[in-house]
Amino acid sequence: AEVLGTPVATKPHADPRLAAEHALVRARYHFWQTEYGAAIAVLDEVGTVPADTRVRLAAAGARAAIAVGDAARARRCVAAAREHAHDAAGQARAWCAAGFVQLSLGDVEAAAASLHAGLAAARSAREPQRALRGQLLLAECERRCGRPAAAQARLARVRRVEAEWLPAILRVRAELLETLLGAPGIDDEHARRVAESRALPALVCYATDRRQAVEPGGPLDIGAATIVSVLQTCHAAADEESALTDVCVRVRRYLVAAAVSIHVHVRGVVRAIAASGARVGGESAVPVPATCQSAALGVHQGPSSLNVPIRYAGAVVGALAVRWPVPRPPAPVGTRDWLAMVGAAVAPLVGMHVSRLERPPARAAEALVGRSAPMETLRRAVCAAAAAPFPVLVEGESGSGKELVARAIHRLGPRRDKPFGALNCAALPDDLVESELFGHARGAFTGAVGERAGVFEDAHGGTLFLDEVGELSLRAQAKLLRVCQEGEVRRLGDTAVRRVDVRLVCATNRDLRQEAAAGRFRHDLLYRLDIVRIAIPPLRERGEDVTLLADHFWQEMAAKVGKRAVLAAATREALARYAWPGNVRELQNALASLAVRAPNRGIVGPEMLPVQFVGGKAAPVRTLGDARRGFEREFVRATLARAGGRPSRAAAELGVTRQGLTKLIARLDIRA
């Protein structure tokens, strides 16, 4: 359009053929800009040209004459085209132009005869696009004659053509014809108004000369019916994305547009949350509206696009954008108002979607504190696991932060807006594990006074974290294996099977491969759970993270007790020298205890730490018995920390009975 508007574009060419081709391009440009008078004027300026070019000029003149309502001129152009058509290609163009004019003037029978002759000539000339144009016009003739089945059959022939090969204007014509065939309440006058409102003057031929009144709000008011269907879609929506996509499909079908999309502006980025349409002209069918470049989305109108703002709760939350495949004049007021009503209908759904997108993105660094190389490797593993839909097995010592890793995987994954469930398998007796996992029906066992859903049903659509999965009995493992394989659960004492969609994240401080080799864990369940494995390094292997974690936990604990004291550098160094057999949990509890003993203000020195954290501050070792006693005390304390304070597990690890462990704790004076 910019090139054709320059003075160079209007400069006559010395070669008559090239001058005629240039004039034809300019006439088509004015035609699609609805400047029909200018198109006719350009065609009238053409002098003597070859016969084949004269046919094309005459066909273009016939369309422009129909657009301005000059029937006599249109007939003269058709006669000139038929006179100069000496080959099959020219005859196909001339007969199709004649059918176009006759159909526009309401002579359906003559139009059908001309179009059949044009189809035969197009096949002889091997011009498939000309044949497709003729098929569309013949389909309209069938529709005018009250034969919708025959029209649908011809339209199906056009639809069988690949969408990428079919020109955009033919796709638009086919969609409009589908709309007319699918809505028997639309009369020809409404069809004329639809064609004109879409700035497709070549489609005006789809309407006859009849003038039938259309009462506002009556059965022919298809715009109102579409608004009602949009409202029903929004009210009955199962989720925002599918409902908004359905609305875009309805709007695109009603406006016969190339693409319809709903855009939002979130955190400085414009994104399309719903769209309908294919690629047109090599560009994206869902263009970013110019007004979406800023936070304030407003009304924007271009030569081939129109978008209106979507307002919700007093603010602009998005824009409804429509694009046509050809340049078009400014849309009539009714179209913009109609789009504004559609925007008001979808505003609540768009507002909810924007509020969810505006939540700060969850990052693993928020919970997984540390800057050491093992922590960087752990973060990368968490991000990779979050993007995958497979089960995750988290391995690590007690207190190393396995649940934090599971929550980070959930927050970073696509299920972040769905439930997150957690269950400690080691804290449940064998007779309650099945009820907790899968739920129970009323009367399934003594005390089951009502039905109850299990953690799998509670976490449907989200993530389920099973801590200490190695503690499950073999019977419970078999039940868990069926859920992993079939994706369905059956409550205890019930016969109904329920489908569940849950991503499993399991954690253990044991080596499940050794447990499976010893027969304490099922091999087939291990293969199901051990798809993505993440190993958490113990705190003693990342000593440089201790001071960072200490500062993080100290700020949290000091804020809880309302104190403003700070840790001294010597205190942080003393904490960094400790081995931390209880890992991050032990560090967190130590700082919580220190926050209680610390003053309200000032500096917390190393003298306030327990004796085991401060090297050189402990009582001097005088005898071999004192050294043995100190070693045993630290060894038992570390075992208890790894066992999470559970005496039975610590006793089994130490090789003593539980009663013997109690006596050992009393003899070594080990306190919590």
Side-chain angles (χ1 to χ4, degrees):
E2 295 178 358
V3 174
L4 290 175
T6 59
V8 177
T10 61
K11 185 176 181 179
H13 201 279
D15 189 346
R17 179 185 291 274
L18 293 179
E21 295 287 346
H22 190 226
L24 184 59
V25 172
R26 290 171 53 208
R28 287 175 175 171
Y29 165 73
H30 290 300
F31 180 81
W32 289 113
Q33 291 293 101
T34 67
E35 300 169 356
Y36 310 123
I40 293 174
V42 170
L43 294 174
D44 288 342
E45 295 175 357
V46 180
T48 303
V49 293
D52 57 343
T53 307
R54 175 59 64 184
V55 173
R56 298 166 60 194
L57 293 172
R63 289 194 296 271
I66 287 295
V68 298
D70 192 347
R73 183 185 181 92
R75 292 192 181 96
R76 290 196 301 269
C77 291
V78 168
R82 293 177 59 183
E83 179 183 355
H84 293 88
H86 302 305
D87 57 354
Q91 291 175 4
R93 188 182 299 272
W95 281 115
C96 286
F100 178 92
V101 171
Q102 292 162 350
L103 187 58
S104 300
L105 299 179
D107 193 352
V108 180
E109 295 181 359
S114 298
L115 291 171
H116 279 295
L119 279 178
R123 295 189 183 99
S124 300
R126 300 182 182 274
E127 290 193 354
Q129 289 192 13
R130 185 69 54 191
L132 290 174
R133 295 171 186 267
Q135 290 284 7
L136 285 174
L137 291 173
L138 277 173
E140 174 60 16
C141 291
E142 301 287 358
R143 188 188 72 86
R144 298 273 187 87
C145 295
R147 296 190 291 268
Q152 289 283 10
R154 291 192 179 276
L155 190 59
R157 299 176 188 174
V158 179
R159 281 302 189 186
R160 283 197 294 267
V161 180
E162 294 293 335
E164 292 78 6
W165 185 84
L166 192 65
I169 183 60
L170 295 186
R171 290 201 302 269
V172 174
R173 291 180 180 177
E175 290 175 2
L176 177 58
L177 190 53
E178 283 182 346
T179 302
L180 297 177
L181 289 171
I186 300 181
D187 66 345
D188 291 330
E189 172 59 22
H190 186 77
R192 180 187 292 276
R193 296 202 326 270
V194 169
E196 292 175 346
S197 66
R198 278 132 191 166
L200 298 176
L203 301 182
V204 178
C205 67
Y206 288 163
T208 63
D209 295 333
R210 288 180 292 172
R211 301 289 188 267
Q212 298 182 5
V214 181
E215 297 180 0
L220 302 181
D221 193 355
I222 305 302
T226 307
I227 291 292
V228 173
S229 66
V230 168
L231 288 171
Q232 292 174 346
T233 300
C234 296
H235 290 169
D239 59 277
E240 295 96 343
E241 294 183 3
S242 61
L244 293 175
T245 302
D246 184 67
V247 169
C248 290
V249 171
R250 294 175 183 272
V251 172
R252 177 171 173 256
R253 184 180 303 159
Y254 176 71
L255 295 180
V256 194
V260 176
S261 58
I262 296 177
H263 295 268
V264 295
H265 188 278
V266 180
R267 294 193 299 270
V269 179
V270 176
R271 64 180 68 183
I273 60 176
S276 172
R279 299 181 69 86
V280 177
E283 301 178 1
S284 173
V286 187
V288 177
T291 51
C292 289
Q293 304 288 333
S294 61
L297 300 172
V299 177
H300 170 70
Q301 184 169 301
S304 60
S305 63
L306 174 66
N307 67 277
V308 296
I310 299 175
R311 294 181 173 87
Y312 181 68
V316 177
V317 295
L320 178 62
V322 184
R323 184 180 182 222
W324 284 266
V326 293
R328 59 188 296 276
V333 177
T335 302
R336 185 183 299 170
D337 294 342
W338 186 85
L339 288 174
M341 288 189 289
V342 174
V346 302
L349 296 180
V350 176
M352 288 188 292
H353 198 89
V354 170
S355 64
R356 186 166 65 252
L357 292 176
E358 286 181 342
R359 297 174 189 170
R363 292 173 294 182
E366 295 179 358
L368 306 177
V369 180
R371 55 179 173 230
S372 61
M375 283 304 298
E376 292 295 335
T377 303
L378 178 62
R379 288 195 192 92
R380 289 193 294 269
V382 167
C383 294
F390 309 116
V392 181
L393 180 62
V394 183
E395 295 180 333
E397 297 180 1
S398 180
S400 58
K402 295 187 289 294
E403 185 170 352
L404 289 178
V405 169
R407 292 185 180 275
I409 292 173
H410 174 72
R411 290 196 304 267
L412 290 170
R415 299 173 182 253
R416 65 176 67 91
D417 297 321
K418 303 298 182 179
F420 176 85
L423 180 66
N424 189 349
C425 301
L428 296 174
D430 292 341
D431 53 349
L432 291 181
V433 169
E434 188 174 353
S435 175
E436 289 292 328
L437 287 175
F438 314 119
H440 60 76
R442 180 180 179 182
F445 52 85
T446 303
V449 296
E451 64 177 14
R452 178 180 178 274
V455 292
F456 271 95
E457 291 186 62
D458 292 337
H460 177 67
T463 305
L464 177 59
F465 173 60
L466 297 180
D467 195 10
E468 305 300 345
V469 70
E471 300 293 332
L472 290 175
S473 64
L474 292 176
R475 183 172 180 271
Q477 293 175 25
K479 296 280 187 178
L480 181 60
L481 176 63
R482 177 168 180 81
V483 178
C484 296
Q485 289 178 339
E486 306 297 335
E488 57 186 26
V489 298
R490 185 169 61 184
R491 296 179 181 178
L492 188 64
D494 198 358
T495 58
V497 176
R498 294 172 170 84
R499 299 289 301 177
V500 291
D501 177 22
V502 174
R503 184 187 187 185
L504 280 178
V505 179
C506 301
T508 179
N509 59 3
R510 299 183 181 183
D511 189 343
L512 293 185
R513 291 165 294 281
Q514 294 182 3
E515 294 291 313
R520 293 187 293 268
F521 199 84
R522 296 179 62 100
H523 283 279
D524 46 5
L525 180 58
L526 176 61
Y527 300 148
R528 289 284 182 178
L529 301 181
D530 192 11
I531 297 178
V532 179
R533 185 189 308 170
I534 296 178
I536 303 179
L539 188 56
R540 61 180 175 272
E541 295 181 3
R542 47 191 182 98
E544 58 185 300
D545 293 335
V546 173
T547 56
L548 191 62
L549 286 167
D551 292 337
H552 174 76
F553 288 136
W554 176 256
Q555 294 177 2
E556 180 182 344
M557 301 306 172
K560 288 183 178 180
V561 297
K563 296 183 179 180
R564 298 184 179 179
V566 296
L567 295 176
T571 305
R572 293 198 295 270
E573 292 176 1
L575 294 174
R577 288 194 298 267
Y578 185 62
W580 299 107
N583 292 294
V584 180
R585 184 183 294 119
E586 184 183 4
L587 174 61
Q588 186 178 16
N589 294 336
L591 289 170
S593 176
L594 183 61
V596 174
R597 301 193 307 269
N600 292 334
R601 296 176 181 272
I603 298 177
V604 180
E607 66 277 359
M608 299 194 67
L609 292 172
V611 65
Q612 68 268 20
F613 296 129
V614 185
K617 295 291 184 180
V621 178
R622 301 182 183 274
T623 64
L624 182 61
D626 293 335
R628 185 182 296 113
R629 180 184 175 89
F631 174 79
E632 289 179 353
R633 180 186 295 109
E634 294 301 322
F635 188 85
V636 173
R637 187 190 298 275
T639 304
L640 288 170
R642 287 195 302 272
R646 291 187 284 272
S648 58
R649 178 179 294 182
E653 187 173 348
L654 291 172
V656 299
T657 64
R658 183 167 180 173
Q659 184 179 7
L661 178 61
T662 303
K663 293 180 180 180
L664 187 61
I665 291 174
R667 181 173 62 83
L668 297 175
D669 193 20
I670 298 176
R671 300 176 183 178

